[in-house]
């Protein structure tokens, strides 16, 4: 049984992680942390009424009170760096989903983890399916340089292309480099038809009510096509990746950045 | 048995039509026409060695020599109008796939057909599947105004969006009118990501080697999605529509424009 | 403003309908009904704290207290028939999503509505997208008799094929009749590969975690394919159809069975 | 420039390979072989009228007359083994697409190649896209054990499931082992709905006119889905793999079986 603490348990992701740890048969939830929580035990909350687990308000009390192997962190950027450093110093393996770490911060934390010979994971994206989609796309691009990305999201999303689409394009670019696609003389009779151009590959952003988060990476070659698609229907999908992270960090000897390095 | 002549039989479409008529059990091929043909019978051509059908060089000889019910025309724009008028005058029902008729020409031909009480069909697109896709899309747009079109073609296509995508968008627009889609504050970090804008709906053009001609019309509404997709793999697909046209014109009393009016 | 009462408002569907009516700008929620409700006004419930609408325990009190145009019913089979009859007798147009009506009951209610010259709707399925998918499929089958249905659901669904798949197959069968598909000599090396057979057409049931409710109707013909797909992500999708029903019954002069008759 | 001979050049695959070698800028076509050919040079054939390359009737004459690096073989099973052995003995790297080698034969050829320290490739399937689909599927199955395969082919295919589907299932099984899918109590109201069962995973075979050869491997997990799809439109797709094989064997020191070992 891996003993786990969840920091930031009152946020949406933290709450989902708390439930995942409670339900996972290989994990033991030994505590949860939130500086503003007024309750002192999870069983004071309606949805955890039978779960006898202490709620802490500060990290120092956590380590004084319970023994823990893994520190799951879904707090906020301004707190996550301190938490991660603290966990490593205390010999606890961090599994961090909070985003916003600078490169310098990540490097410091990796160095610290190496000194401690302690595993850890910081992952901006815990969706295993999305990470596999990106890895497979990068590999396929070695053989099929012609590729377009179609990403589809609900219509209250503000940015286009999505972060995942851009990350995928970067990984494909790293494999195949610059490559002119389409006919050199192609013309758009309505601007934007051919999508966003990223080093020659095209990205198309679909926004419709009803959609959740979907991406299709489509490769074409003489007489054939290869398509890799990821559909995300629910935030709960991230938890498969968080659980995998908690298991893998037990065997690692340093902190790694990105779930892809564990797959 | 419907007796049929094929004009323009040496072109790609005409040749495919000739084979279709020969193979269709309800049709009898009574002649083919090409002003430059040197052969006088189809059996002089390798692929028709057992087909005893006369080849004509001019339309007047056709009507003097054989009795025919339907005139299939896959000639060139400069010839097709004359041919269609001639067929109607001779009491023969035209089924015309040549494009480029002006609105005035179409109106004249419709008037002539009404005087003769004779059926006929001019269709810029004979792919039944494509026509159904457009009809279904127009109907769905009544209930689902949020829609995006993704059309996918081989990468030697020059124009984007495709003609079929624009036609589809026009038919949707006729049903639902102007409609702002996506979030009012959405932003493209790379221009073109959100595609071509046609009265609020978005069109995305994918171009990849290996693809043939495909289109996906995607509707979204609260909690659900409806997608209508057409895949065209081969020019032979048009012949299902040509055959349908030959059958339907026998019962019509005037010439109609567009296969959609027969479905 | 159409005045609406919701019967069975404490069930999942009834609650979703109540919210829809409250949020819809063309509708006015004049009352809700549940025999076991202890509250007397919606504003006693947390999620409706600002909504001043009376809660009733019996249908007689509803009609004595408020004037209403439409009666939405998401109760239980044993109650729905009585409710629907009562609504019609009171000059209120019923929009009923409860299932389990016998054919005799439906006929009686239709007769009663005709005497009253009053519109009404009983619909086992309010998902407009699903109904359009079925209608389009039936129409396409006239021209493309070769069709297979792939339906995909979460893996805790017990029955295969789904009810929607069977309904779709029935509607296709009504159009095209019996039709042998596939090669006459095809062989399954593992039984079940070719799916369930319904009068020659094949149905394939996919069951996977993560999926919600999806169906793809795939037609094939020489050189082309036509695919119609419906994705249902959320129960809320039904409400587009309920809202449409409430609007349409205002103009009808009799009760109709099935949302498809309003599209 | 890699010098290449094509054996079996008069068959469909051999002819396609001959054209590929002629058109590929890194390859030089030094000869073609067919025991029954009456021509002595490719330029006697209409489609190669400008290609001055000798046609040979027996393998001994090939090696006496031209120097060659790679021997492409698309002959027939009874000849291919002898040809491959002969090529290796002569210091020529074989790239063989003929199927039907026994395990013993493959082992002998591998041993011979190792003695000669010579690269070579025997591949039953040269479609890179199909091989990538299988590799990606096997990898994804480590994290997503719930998977169904939907393969779609034209309706004159006799066997179901397809060979590629079974190969894919075997590769997935090697990674994830036996795994019960779907609800334990699920019931088929029409037999076959849930498809063919292979160690718990389900395979569905769609057969429709118009389709060519397509396969979709669909994974599901809590809240997400991952789909890998390959579309094969044309035999020419194999040539990307043959070309890759010709390049890779130049660096290998032994014969390998299966294109997947080069990717």
């Amino acid at each position: 049984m891996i003993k786990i603490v969840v920091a930031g348990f009152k946020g949406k992701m933290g709450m989902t992680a708390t439930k995942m740890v409670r339900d996972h048969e290989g994990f033991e939830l030994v505590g949860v942390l939130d500086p503003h929580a007024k309750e002192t035990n999870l069983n004071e909350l309606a949805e955890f009424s039978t779960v006898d687990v202490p709620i802490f308000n500060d990290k120092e009390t956590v380590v004084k009170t319970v023994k823990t192997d893994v520190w799951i962190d879904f707090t906020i950027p301004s707190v996550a760096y301190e938490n991660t450093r603290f966990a490593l110093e205390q010999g606890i393996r961090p599994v961090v989903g909070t985003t916003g770490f600078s490169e310098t911060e990540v490097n410091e934390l990796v160095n610290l983890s190496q000194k401690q010979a302690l595993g850890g994971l910081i992952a901006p994206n815990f969706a295993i399916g999305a990470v596999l989609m990106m890895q497979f796309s990068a590999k396929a691009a070695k053989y099929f340089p012609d590729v377009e990305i179609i990403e589809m999201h609900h219509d209250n999303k503000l940015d286009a292309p999505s972060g995942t689409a851009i990350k995928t394009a970067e990984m494909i670019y790293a494999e195949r480099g610059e490559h002119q696609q389409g006919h050199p003389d192609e013309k758009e009779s309505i601007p934007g038809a051919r999508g966003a151009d990223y080093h020659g590959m095209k990205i198309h952003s679909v926004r419709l009510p009803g959609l959740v988060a979907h991406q299709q990476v489509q490769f074409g070659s003489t007489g054939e096509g290869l398509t890799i698609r990821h559909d995300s229907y629910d935030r709960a999908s991230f938890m498969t990746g968080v659980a995998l992270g908690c298991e893998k960090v037990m065997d690692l000897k340093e902190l790694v950045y990105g779930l892809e390095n564990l797959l």
Side-chain angles (χ1 to χ4, degrees), chain A:
Chain A
M1 292 285 272
I2 303 175
K3 293 176 194 301
I4 301 180
V5 157
V6 179
F9 84 101
K10 287 214 160 175
K12 280 186 183 180
M13 293 299 287
M15 190 56 83
T16 313
T18 301
K19 286 175 192 160
M20 181 277 289
V21 173
R22 178 200 60 185
D23 295 341
H24 193 292
E25 55 181 24
F27 297 163
E28 183 186 347
L29 183 66
V30 295
V32 296
L33 174 66
D34 187 290
H36 309 300
K38 298 213 170 97
E39 304 84 358
T40 60
N41 194 296
L42 271 181
N43 61 22
E44 295 166 45
L45 296 168
E47 41 191 337
F48 293 101
S49 59
T50 63
V51 183
D52 177 20
V53 164
I55 297 178
F56 300 100
N57 290 123
D58 64 274
K59 56 185 184 300
E60 289 77 13
T61 315
V62 173
V63 295
K64 276 183 215 151
T65 317
V66 294
K67 194 185 156 347
T68 183
D69 300 307
V70 172
W71 177 287
I72 292 178
D73 199 287
F74 281 108
T75 60
I76 53 173
S78 59
V79 171
Y81 172 73
E82 279 309 320
N83 278 0
T84 308
R85 164 169 286 281
F86 177 79
L88 286 170
E89 286 166 352
Q90 300 293 328
I92 305 172
R93 297 153 196 87
V95 172
V96 183
T98 314
T99 52
F101 286 76
S102 71
E103 212 179 315
T104 315
E105 288 174 334
V106 171
N107 288 340
E108 279 175 30
L109 293 166
V110 170
N111 285 340
L112 177 55
S113 74
Q114 288 167 339
K115 274 181 212 147
Q116 305 275 71
L118 208 60
L121 171 68
I122 298 176
N125 187 346
F126 271 108
I128 294 181
V131 173
L132 288 177
M133 172 183 63
M134 288 187 265
Q135 285 189 330
F136 295 163
S137 297
K139 178 158 185 194
K142 286 188 200 178
Y143 308 102
F144 297 139
D146 290 286
V147 53
E148 306 212 359
I149 298 173
I150 305 167
E151 53 95 343
M152 292 163 274
H153 286 82
H154 50 83
D155 63 349
N156 46 31
K157 186 173 180 63
L158 293 180
D159 55 316
S162 71
T164 300
I166 289 174
K167 180 91 192 288
T168 307
E170 287 169 354
M171 288 175 66
I172 290 173
Y173 176 63
E175 283 294 342
R176 68 145 215 197
E178 199 79 27
H179 173 65
Q180 170 64 37
Q181 292 190 196
H183 193 285
D185 297 332
E186 69 180 16
K187 287 229 170 59
E188 290 179 339
S189 63
I190 308 178
R194 288 289 285 121
D197 185 283
Y198 183 88
H199 294 286
M201 80 189 84
K202 304 296 186 181
I203 309 176
H204 309 272
S205 300
V206 174
R207 299 288 176 267
L208 285 170
L211 288 175
V212 189
H214 318 261
Q215 182 173 302
Q216 188 163 316
V217 186
Q218 204 168 333
F219 296 88
S221 185
T222 311
E224 68 180 320
L226 180 69
T227 302
I228 299 161
R229 179 180 172 120
H230 182 246
D231 293 273
S232 180
Y233 300 112
D234 193 312
R235 182 188 313 123
S237 69
F238 289 93
M239 291 307 135
T240 314
V242 175
L244 184 79
C246 291
E247 287 163 352
K248 292 274 187 178
V249 293
M250 296 303 291
D251 297 328
L252 290 177
K253 297 295 175 208
E254 62 176 340
L255 183 145
V256 299
Y257 184 84
L259 188 64
E260 57 273 27
N261 297 305
L262 300 188
L263 299 183

